[in-house]
Amino acid sequence: MEQVRAKKFLGQHFLTDESIAERIARSLTGRTPNLLEIGPGMGVLTKYLVDDTRYRFKAIELDSESVDYLHHHYPTLDVIEGDFLRLDLNSIFDNATFSIIGNFPYNISSQILFRVFEQRGSVPEVVGMFQKEVAERVAAGPGSKTYGILSVLLSAFYNIEYLFTVNENVFNPPPKVKSAVIRLTRNEVQQLGCDEKLFVQVVKTGFNQRRKTLRNALKPLNIPLDGIDETLLAKRAEQLSVNDFISITNHLAQQL
Ligand code: SAH
């Protein structure tokens, strides 16, 4: 019983269809030889990566039972037992850049993506499976109802592609929702051309009350909105492009 309860927090839904695992592995464009898999579980995806000589491959898995299984079935695999969210990411590949792949634990999807955003300087590519709703949200553009904080933050630094949808019945146990695979590849942007901390704050605050116009939604920032284009302030956050948010951020910075 304890065991079952503990495992619930691991978001374990094992993929049973190998052709999908292979398709996920093939979706990598190989931007860097260093590759980290998050949550390999019983290794269905790992199988298509571990012997690929193009990669220097490592995996991180929180569940000790899965780690034992992986050691046994993939003796050459370098598997770190631990929590991806607590891992010192730069130490894994000696400060070199690395890509991330996985059929991710869905209970920490957003946290994984926020970490990618924070580590954008070291992570040139991410290929992975999320619950469909999260995948759609990340891949959405301005004007879409699902466009949100992660869409803006990630699309500022990554090209985001929705690759394909995956049905519930190819997992054991089947999740309650459909899944989807997306690919994030780092764009050319090194600096946004604004105070990036303030940018994050503006995006978060704008979407916090997403049905309000920005004029109202940004009030909690307590910064005068002087000089910001009236047509932007009359819009809602979900209608704004990354560049619109940058422009607003630059105006606000002048008031500080
Ligand atoms: N990739 C496997 C398993 C997917 S289920 C497959 O496709 O079949 C998600 C996996 O992530 C589980 O094995 C779970 O134990 C692991 N996991 C959950 N939280 C984690 C964390 N914080 N860090 C690393 N792995 C985690």
Side-chain angles (χ1 to χ4, degrees):
M1 191 55 201
E2 271 309 305
Q3 186 78 333
V4 172
R5 200 178 314 142
K7 295 253 175 176
K8 259 187 102 168
F9 294 101
L10 293 170
Q12 290 184 331
H13 296 283
F14 299 110
L15 187 60
T16 54
D17 184 331
E18 293 216 354
S19 68
I20 294 175
E22 194 177 1
R23 205 168 155 198
I24 297 173
R26 275 208 318 261
S27 299
L28 277 169
T29 67
R31 286 236 175 158
T32 156
N34 295 327
L35 181 62
L36 178 71
E37 181 182 2
I38 304 175
M42 314 296 257
V44 62
L45 175 58
T46 318
K47 183 173 163 185
Y48 294 96
L49 302 166
V50 67
D51 294 325
D52 192 324
T53 50
R54 285 173 301 174
Y55 301 119
R56 183 171 163 225
F57 180 70
K58 296 187 184 197
I60 174 147
E61 171 57 63
L62 186 55
D63 175 28
S64 59
E65 216 178 299
S66 296
V67 171
D68 288 346
Y69 178 94
L70 292 164
H71 276 146
H72 189 73
H73 286 83
Y74 303 93
T76 59
L77 173 66
D78 190 346
V79 55
I80 305 161
E81 182 172 346
D83 180 347
F84 169 74
L85 298 177
R86 289 162 185 267
L87 187 70
D88 171 11
L89 293 179
N90 290 319
S91 70
I92 323 173
F93 292 103
D94 302 324
N95 293 312
T97 60
F98 62 96
S99 296
I100 292 178
I101 194 165
N103 163 25
F104 299 119
Y106 294 172
N107 52 332
I108 57 166
S109 298
S110 299
Q111 292 166 77
I112 290 175
L113 288 163
F114 274 111
R115 268 216 108 177
V116 168
F117 171 72
E118 283 161 12
Q119 297 284 329
R120 56 193 177 267
S122 346
V123 181
E125 178 168 29
V126 179
V127 167
M129 184 138 64
F130 294 93
Q131 56 271 54
K132 183 166 184 269
E133 187 229 333
V134 170
E136 283 173 343
R137 231 185 312 137
V138 173
S144 147
K145 282 246 172 311
T146 52
Y147 184 62
I149 297 169
L150 277 170
S151 342
V152 179
L153 299 186
L154 288 168
S155 69
F157 293 101
Y158 288 91
N159 298 321
I160 303 168
E161 298 161 274
Y162 184 101
L163 299 182
F164 57 92
T165 307
V166 180
N167 281 325
E168 303 87 318
N169 61 0
V170 298
F171 297 91
N172 181 25
K176 290 202 180 73
V177 291
K178 288 197 191 312
S179 300
V181 176
I182 55 173
R183 177 167 55 211
L184 279 65
T185 36
R186 192 73 173 78
N187 63 21
E188 301 296 316
V189 175
Q190 295 303 324
Q191 308 271 318
L192 281 187
C194 66
D195 175 338
E196 292 182 2
K197 270 205 174 126
L198 184 59
F199 171 81
V200 173
Q201 222 183 333
V202 170
V203 173
K204 285 185 173 170
T205 312
F207 279 101
N208 212 6
Q209 301 180 79
R210 60 182 296 145
R211 317 195 66 167
K212 293 195 174 175
T213 62
L214 284 170
R215 177 181 302 289
N216 290 315
L218 294 181
K219 276 189 182 151
L221 289 174
N222 265 324
I223 309 173
L225 302 175
D226 303 358
I228 302 176
D229 188 342
E230 287 295 325
T231 56
L232 285 185
L233 290 177
K235 289 184 179 178
R236 294 194 300 261
E238 65 194 34
Q239 298 171 288
L240 263 54
S241 67
V242 170
N243 283 334
D244 291 335
F245 278 108
I246 292 173
S247 148
I248 291 179
T249 305
N250 279 328
H251 280 289
L252 292 174
Q254 285 170 18
Q255 307 290 331
L256 290 177

